[in-house]
Amino acid sequence: MNKKILASLGLIALLAVVLLVLARKKGADLPRLGPWSGETEEIVIKRPGETVRLFRRDGAWLIGEAAYPADAQAVAGFEEKMKNLMLSDLISVREHYERYDLGGDRAIEVSLRSGGKLVRHVFIGKKSGTFRHSYVRLAERPGVYLAEGALSDEFGKSIDELRNREIFTEAKSGIDSIEILYGASVLTLKRKPAARPAQPEKKDAAPGEDRWECTGCGGPVDANRIGQIAGSFAPFTAAAFPAVEKKSLGAPRCTVRIKTAGKRIELAFYSKIGDNRYLCTSTESPYVFTVDAWKAERYFVTAKDLKEKK
């Protein structure tokens, strides 16, 4: 083996050793953020001009001073991101926070408590150039790190975005009747359970389908249209929760009354507002909310609308 080959092999070995040392040094500079045990009790997200406090009460997540029900899936996402926060690189040991939107006037501050103790305290800055990582700093350390995920998008949601939008849920098979009052029209849609066969069905036999009848339609009805209405409550969700008082709504434009074996549910739709949504109330929620126009208008029907198309 000639001297050139030996020199090349020696250089490669030296580079490998240098890279190994650098990798070990880099890994040593990254703090290990292990998950905590026990139930998370509180998540506080502070942003310029707004503080969002999420807290657990009687097993449910609530949000803000008004204790609105929170979106459990969104909160679970926050917990998962913070419990499994992965730091992939040390960007700076100096406090160059403004460069990474980690200063006090730009950063998103996130703190979580469990067992009465602070278990995670992180400041989130802007996203990296790849948009797959975010710049962060830890409250207990001065450095700037890269963390996995577009954290500023997830933790930048407003209180309204984090509220639980499900007003209620009722499956079509559990509804006995639906009464729709729209203008001068009063219609009642009644579910007729499928007849049970006289002989035991085969194991692979398809179950019969329930039928829906319309009191007030005066003839054959559009089964598909009625089926869409009956199936629209599983779940019934809000689009947003505007700051509107119930007493200011006036008379409803349309009222829907749903009857099940053990419950009576009422929905009332009022005027349309600027974002192409209708104001709405329900006996299942203490809040005024909005629903998209297409969703509300499916209930704005008369006998003519529900008659069978020929």
Side-chain angles (χ1 to χ4, degrees):
M1 189 177 294
N2 60 41
K3 292 182 179 180
K4 286 186 176 181
I5 295 176
L6 288 173
S8 298
L9 291 174
L11 181 60
I12 291 172
L14 179 61
L15 288 172
V17 171
V18 171
L19 289 173
L20 180 61
V21 170
L22 289 175
R24 286 183 176 178
K25 185 176 184 301
K26 177 181 175 181
D29 289 334
L30 295 177
R32 294 183 179 181
L33 303 176
W36 56 91
S37 60
E39 188 176 76
T40 304
E41 300 164 345
E42 181 186 64
I43 303 173
V44 178
I45 305 169
K46 294 182 179 179
R47 299 189 289 266
E50 183 180 37
T51 295
V52 177
R53 178 176 176 259
L54 296 150
F55 57 98
R56 197 189 294 268
R57 181 189 293 169
D58 298 329
W61 280 100
L62 306 175
I63 184 170
E65 292 183 4
Y68 298 126
D71 183 337
Q73 187 173 357
V75 178
F78 290 161
E79 284 188 280
E80 190 274 333
K81 287 293 182 183
M82 288 292 106
K83 272 192 172 184
N84 302 298
L85 187 66
M86 295 289 293
L87 303 181
S88 59
D89 200 1
L90 172 63
I91 301 302
S92 173
V93 295
R94 299 181 180 180
E95 298 180 3
H96 296 311
Y97 297 149
E98 300 301 327
R99 184 183 303 175
Y100 305 101
D101 285 355
L102 285 168
D105 60 337
R106 299 294 295 275
I108 299 173
E109 181 181 358
V110 181
S111 58
L112 294 88
R113 290 185 176 275
S114 176
K117 297 179 180 179
L118 186 66
V119 292
R120 187 75 81 235
H121 193 182
V122 180
F123 294 83
I124 300 170
K126 66 182 181 180
K127 290 174 283 189
S128 69
T130 63
F131 298 98
R132 292 181 295 180
H133 293 79
S134 300
Y135 296 104
V136 302
R137 66 182 176 94
L138 308 178
E140 67 274 15
R141 296 173 73 109
V144 176
Y145 300 90
L146 266 184
E148 294 182 3
L151 301 177
S152 58
D153 290 344
E154 296 179 54
F155 288 88
K157 294 179 180 178
S158 66
I159 289 178
D160 191 64
E161 291 176 301
L162 292 173
R163 289 179 65 172
N164 180 10
R165 282 171 160 68
E166 183 176 307
I167 305 302
F168 66 90
T169 183
E170 288 293 342
K172 179 166 60 173
S173 59
I175 296 174
D176 293 331
S177 66
I178 303 167
E179 186 180 45
I180 301 175
L181 293 81
Y182 176 56
S185 171
V186 179
L187 303 176
T188 301
L189 311 178
K190 292 184 177 180
R191 181 175 63 88
K192 297 296 182 182
R196 294 183 178 181
Q199 298 295 327
E201 295 185 34
K202 297 180 180 179
K203 290 183 178 181
D204 57 348
E209 292 187 3
D210 295 342
R211 294 184 301 104
W212 286 84
E213 297 179 350
C214 175
T215 302
C217 286
V221 294
D222 185 338
N224 288 333
R225 184 88 178 263
I226 292 177
Q228 289 172 1
I229 292 173
S232 65
F233 306 109
F236 187 87
T237 57
F241 295 90
V244 175
E245 295 289 337
K246 282 187 177 182
K247 60 185 179 182
S248 69
L249 294 174
R253 180 172 182 178
C254 175
T255 300
V256 178
R257 294 171 181 154
I258 303 158
K259 181 181 177 182
T260 70
K263 188 178 278 190
R264 304 291 185 273
I265 299 170
E266 185 169 302
L267 283 166
F269 300 89
Y270 299 86
S271 58
K272 184 186 281 190
I273 57 176
D275 51 1
N276 201 32
R277 292 170 175 170
Y278 284 90
L279 293 166
C280 189
T281 61
S282 173
T283 51
E284 298 300 294
S285 174
Y287 311 111
V288 175
F289 55 94
T290 62
V291 295
D292 293 324
W294 65 267
K295 187 173 183 177
E297 289 170 357
R298 77 172 102 195
Y299 309 114
F300 298 179
V301 293
T302 64
K304 181 180 178 181
D305 300 311
L306 295 183
K307 283 187 176 180
E308 185 178 35
K309 304 297 186 293
K310 296 182 180 181

